[in-house]
Amino acid sequence: MLAHKPPMGWNSWNTFTKNIDEKMIMDTADAMVETGLRDAGYEYLTIDDCWSEMERDGNGMLVADREKFPHGMKYVADYVHSKGLKFGMYACSGAKTCAGYPGSFGHEFKDAEYFAGVGIDLLKYDNCYHPSSPDMLRYNRMSLALKATGREILFSACNWGRESVWTWARSVGAHMYRSTGDITDKFESIRRLSESQLENLPMSAPGCYNDIDMLVAGLYGKGNIGFGSGCTDAQYRYHFALWCMLMSPLMIGCDIRNMSEETKKLLLNKELIAINQDEEGRPPIFVSANNGLKDSIICFRHLADGEFAIAFFNPYDRDQTMMLPYVEIGLDPLCGYGFRVRDIFTGESLGVKRDYFEAKVPATDCRVFRAKIVKI
Ligand code: GAL
């Protein structure tokens, strides 16, 4: 089964846009191994838009840009595979890709053959320049074309949440589906995109996950979607931890050949990754903040091993004490049970908490805990 858990990997778009080439991709494959990202679960290396020539060949086949990829795409795919990684590429359901390269509309079956010939393991399928037809039909068409190749290819549908994609993405065979417009390297964007999906998460489950968009953690304003100095480390922590709690696919967008120590530590955080990759894929329960700070996110998630994840996200620019009163999750104070809590960032055991659990959360930052239910 593909996408039993939220897919993890790296994608070229957020940092490199059209400035992609064979050497950068191969160096990135090396870096995925050397930094430990591959072994932490980031298995897909995906080349986004701007990889092809502007024209198809005489047989109507797509052609990789001859300057950027002088040895052709199969050569790159083989190299990526030789590193124990999976290889992803990008196409678009319209006449052109979003950056204006040849699109797959009317060429779906030929393009699927091309991609299978290259040996891809993931196809990100975008939604620009299409004639007016239901997105669902165009996405199912490419999904069928991929199936017809006989190759197992993870289908990453990217229609930015149009036409309530969460209601049909699973039905057309998508393994992940973009539910939002493009993320930018700003805290406001992280907040807006994630908050827009809190109610859609019940559709996210093994086999097909809601993709809130690729990660901006570690960009610090560099690359295609950077603004000024980007976000702070605390804000990237908020972002990454939230994507983990919400079971979004984790597609790194920064230049992993030059990551800061903080970025590396964050992206390799085993406990957060384990929450994201939890076997059962259960969406969290959201609890409203009881202090009037309505944009805070307090969530409680059942995990497959019988434990729970509790997370507090403070989007405000001042510190605040956040609280999970257990009655809000159905645990009455008289029942005689509480939670033994451990901070996943510090590893510190906080003991058994009865009736409620509260923690100080710095401005635009988060705290994440593992909890076990115990008799008091
Ligand atoms: C957008 C998509 C981005 C990126 C870009 C490429 O539509 O949401 O993630 O793929 O196109 O042009």
Coordinates of all heavy atoms in Angstrom, one line a residue, residues 11 13-14 48-50 90 97-99 124 126-128 158 160 178 180-182 213-214, ligand 1:
N11 N 11.3 18.5 -2.0 CA 10.8 19.0 -3.3 C 11.6 20.3 -3.6 O 11.9 21.1 -2.8 CB 9.3 19.3 -3.1 CG 8.8 19.9 -4.4 OD1 9.1 21.0 -4.8 ND2 7.8 19.2 -5.0
W13 N 10.8 23.0 -5.3 CA 10.2 24.2 -5.7 C 10.5 25.4 -4.7 O 10.9 26.5 -5.2 CB 8.7 24.0 -5.8 CG 8.0 25.3 -6.2 CD1 7.2 26.2 -5.4 CD2 8.0 25.9 -7.5 NE1 6.8 27.2 -6.2 CE2 7.3 27.1 -7.5 CE3 8.6 25.5 -8.7 CZ2 7.1 27.9 -8.6 CZ3 8.4 26.3 -9.8 CH2 7.7 27.5 -9.7
N14 N 10.3 25.2 -3.4 CA 10.4 26.3 -2.5 C 11.7 27.1 -2.5 O 11.7 28.3 -2.4 CB 10.1 25.9 -1.1 CG 8.6 25.6 -0.8 OD1 7.8 25.8 -1.7 ND2 8.3 25.1 0.4
D48 N 10.2 19.6 -9.1 CA 9.0 20.3 -9.3 C 9.0 20.8 -10.7 O 9.7 20.3 -11.6 CB 8.7 21.3 -8.2 CG 7.3 21.6 -8.0 OD1 6.7 22.4 -8.8 OD2 6.7 21.1 -7.0
D49 N 8.2 21.9 -11.0 CA 8.1 22.5 -12.3 C 9.4 22.9 -12.9 O 10.4 23.1 -12.2 CB 7.2 23.7 -12.1 CG 6.4 24.1 -13.4 OD1 6.8 23.6 -14.5 OD2 5.5 25.0 -13.3
C50 N 9.4 23.2 -14.2 CA 10.5 23.8 -15.0 C 11.6 22.8 -15.3 O 12.8 23.2 -15.5 CB 11.2 25.0 -14.2 SG 10.0 26.2 -13.6
Y90 N 7.0 16.2 -11.7 CA 5.9 17.1 -11.7 C 5.3 17.2 -13.1 O 6.0 17.2 -14.1 CB 6.4 18.5 -11.2 CG 5.5 19.7 -11.5 CD1 4.8 20.2 -10.5 CD2 5.5 20.2 -12.8 CE1 3.9 21.3 -10.7 CE2 4.6 21.3 -13.0 CZ 3.9 21.9 -12.0 OH 3.1 23.0 -12.2
T97 N 2.1 23.9 -17.7 CA 2.4 23.8 -16.3 C 2.2 25.2 -15.8 O 2.1 26.2 -16.5 CB 3.8 23.3 -15.9 OG1 4.7 24.3 -16.3 CG2 4.1 22.0 -16.7
C98 N 2.2 25.4 -14.5 CA 2.0 26.7 -13.9 C 3.1 27.7 -14.3 O 2.9 28.9 -14.4 CB 1.9 26.6 -12.4 SG 0.4 25.7 -11.9
A99 N 4.3 27.2 -14.6 CA 5.4 28.0 -15.0 C 5.5 28.1 -16.6 O 6.4 28.6 -17.1 CB 6.7 27.5 -14.4
K124 N 3.6 14.6 -8.9 CA 2.9 15.8 -8.4 C 2.1 16.3 -9.6 O 2.7 16.6 -10.6 CB 3.8 16.8 -7.8 CG 3.1 18.1 -7.4 CD 4.0 19.0 -6.6 CE 3.4 20.4 -6.4 NZ 4.3 21.3 -5.7
D126 N -0.4 19.2 -11.1 CA -0.8 20.6 -10.8 C -2.1 20.9 -11.6 O -2.6 20.1 -12.3 CB 0.4 21.5 -11.1 CG 0.4 22.7 -10.1 OD1 -0.6 23.0 -9.5 OD2 1.5 23.3 -10.0
N127 N -2.5 22.2 -11.5 CA -3.8 22.5 -12.0 C -4.0 23.8 -12.8 O -5.0 24.4 -12.9 CB -4.8 22.5 -10.8 CG -6.2 22.2 -11.2 OD1 -6.5 21.5 -12.1 ND2 -7.1 22.8 -10.4
C128 N -2.9 24.3 -13.4 CA -3.0 25.5 -14.2 C -3.4 25.3 -15.6 O -3.3 24.2 -16.2 CB -1.6 26.2 -14.2 SG -1.2 27.0 -12.6
C158 N -2.5 18.2 -6.9 CA -2.3 19.6 -6.4 C -3.3 20.5 -7.0 O -3.0 21.1 -8.1 CB -0.8 19.9 -6.7 SG -0.4 21.6 -6.3
W160 N -5.0 22.8 -5.1 CA -5.0 23.9 -4.1 C -6.4 23.9 -3.3 O -6.8 25.0 -2.9 CB -4.8 25.2 -4.8 CG -3.8 25.2 -5.9 CD1 -2.5 25.0 -5.8 CD2 -4.1 25.5 -7.3 NE1 -1.9 25.0 -7.0 CE2 -2.8 25.4 -7.9 CE3 -5.2 25.8 -8.0 CZ2 -2.7 25.6 -9.3 CZ3 -5.0 26.0 -9.4 CH2 -3.8 25.9 -10.0
R178 N -3.2 18.5 -2.2 CA -3.0 19.8 -1.7 C -4.4 20.4 -1.5 O -5.2 20.5 -2.4 CB -2.3 20.6 -2.8 CG -0.8 20.6 -2.6 CD -0.3 21.6 -1.5 NE -0.5 22.9 -1.9 CZ 0.2 23.6 -2.8 NH1 1.2 23.0 -3.4 NH2 -0.1 24.8 -3.1
T180 N -4.6 23.5 -0.1 CA -4.4 25.0 0.1 C -3.7 25.6 -1.1 O -3.1 24.9 -1.9 CB -3.5 25.2 1.3 OG1 -2.2 24.6 1.1 CG2 -4.1 24.6 2.6
G181 N -3.7 27.0 -1.1 CA -2.9 27.7 -2.1 C -1.4 27.6 -1.6 O -1.1 26.9 -0.6
D182 N -0.6 28.2 -2.4 CA 0.9 28.1 -2.1 C 1.3 28.7 -0.8 O 0.9 29.8 -0.4 CB 1.7 28.7 -3.2 CG 1.7 27.9 -4.5 OD1 0.8 27.0 -4.6 OD2 2.5 28.1 -5.3
D213 N 0.7 21.8 2.3 CA 1.8 22.3 1.4 C 3.2 22.0 2.0 O 3.3 21.6 3.1 CB 1.7 23.8 1.1 CG 2.4 24.2 -0.2 OD1 3.0 23.3 -0.8 OD2 2.3 25.3 -0.7
M214 N 4.1 22.2 1.1 CA 5.5 21.8 1.4 C 6.0 22.7 2.6 O 5.6 23.8 2.8 CB 6.4 21.9 0.2 CG 5.9 21.1 -0.9 SD 6.7 21.4 -2.5 CE 6.1 23.0 -2.9
Ligands
GAL1 C1 1.9 25.8 -8.1 C2 2.0 24.7 -7.0 C3 3.4 24.9 -6.4 C4 4.4 24.6 -7.5 C5 4.2 25.6 -8.6 C6 5.1 25.3 -9.9 O1 0.6 25.7 -8.6 O2 1.0 25.0 -6.0 O3 3.5 23.9 -5.3 O4 4.3 23.3 -7.9 O5 2.8 25.6 -9.1 O6 4.8 26.1 -10.9

